[in-house]
Amino acid sequence: MIKTINLLAIALFFSVVSCRNPAHTGSSAGPEAAILAAMKKQENAWNAGDIHTFMETYWRHDSLMFVGSQGPVFGWQPTLDRYLKTYPDTAAMGKLHFDRLRIKQLSPTHCFVLGRWHLARTIGDASGYFTLLFEQIEGEWVIVADHSS
């Protein structure tokens, strides 16, 4: 039993170490760089008033999960619809900034992201925290679960 646990611990260690190897990520810069680029794409799209481009970083699938103050929403289209309803114009959208980003690689194809969001708006600023689960699907890192509050 102890040998099995030790072997599992060793296997886990090497799988975590191999996650840091760029050859296993599909990108020479690794998942952290790809995720930071996706987050920057979201900021830029949002600040241009372009929710459709903002949504390109989400998994376009019925299993996408978004959890906000009104509870969970499942699916890419319902998530887009929620954003369009909640932020009908650029005044409601404001200017988005992410900070305090922490990325934790969970496996070769999954990363957990914790961060803070801030909207600078003429109608009053808004801010909160988010957790994201990114998954590498068909070579792209996309958000498969988002909890923002």
Side-chain angles (χ1 to χ4, degrees):
M1 178 71 169
I2 292 177
K3 272 188 176 178
T4 303
I5 292 172
N6 287 338
L7 288 175
L8 287 173
I10 290 168
L12 179 62
F13 171 77
F14 282 108
S15 71
V16 170
V17 170
S18 70
C19 290
R20 301 282 180 210
N21 182 343
H24 289 73
T25 65
S27 166
S28 62
E32 292 87 356
I35 289 168
L36 290 173
M39 302 298 295
K40 190 62 174 171
K41 177 180 180 176
Q42 280 196 318
E43 272 186 339
N44 291 340
W46 189 273
N47 293 337
D50 186 353
I51 291 177
H52 288 88
T53 299
F54 174 86
M55 286 293 296
E56 290 177 3
T57 56
Y58 285 93
W59 186 28
R60 196 176 194 116
H61 195 274
D62 291 341
S63 294
L64 169 67
M65 180 178 63
F66 177 89
V67 181
S69 61
Q70 301 300 311
V73 174
F74 296 94
W76 187 89
Q77 186 63 52
T79 300
L80 171 62
D81 295 343
R82 180 215 166 271
Y83 272 117
L84 292 171
K85 181 180 178 186
T86 305
Y87 302 99
D89 54 39
T90 55
M93 291 176 74
K95 296 299 180 188
L96 175 65
H97 178 69
F98 295 128
D99 63 9
R100 301 184 191 171
L101 293 174
R102 293 184 185 221
I103 300 171
K104 170 75 174 164
Q105 189 159 5
L106 304 175
S107 77
T109 58
H110 291 86
C111 288
F112 180 82
V113 179
L114 168 68
R116 182 168 162 34
W117 58 271
H118 180 82
L119 293 179
R121 307 184 301 181
T122 57
I123 61 172
D125 291 0
S127 63
Y129 290 88
F130 62 86
T131 56
L132 305 172
L133 179 62
F134 271 83
E135 183 174 349
Q136 189 179 40
I137 299 174
E138 297 178 5
E140 297 292 321
W141 286 93
V142 293
I143 300 165
V144 298
D146 177 341
H147 179 224
S148 296
S149 55

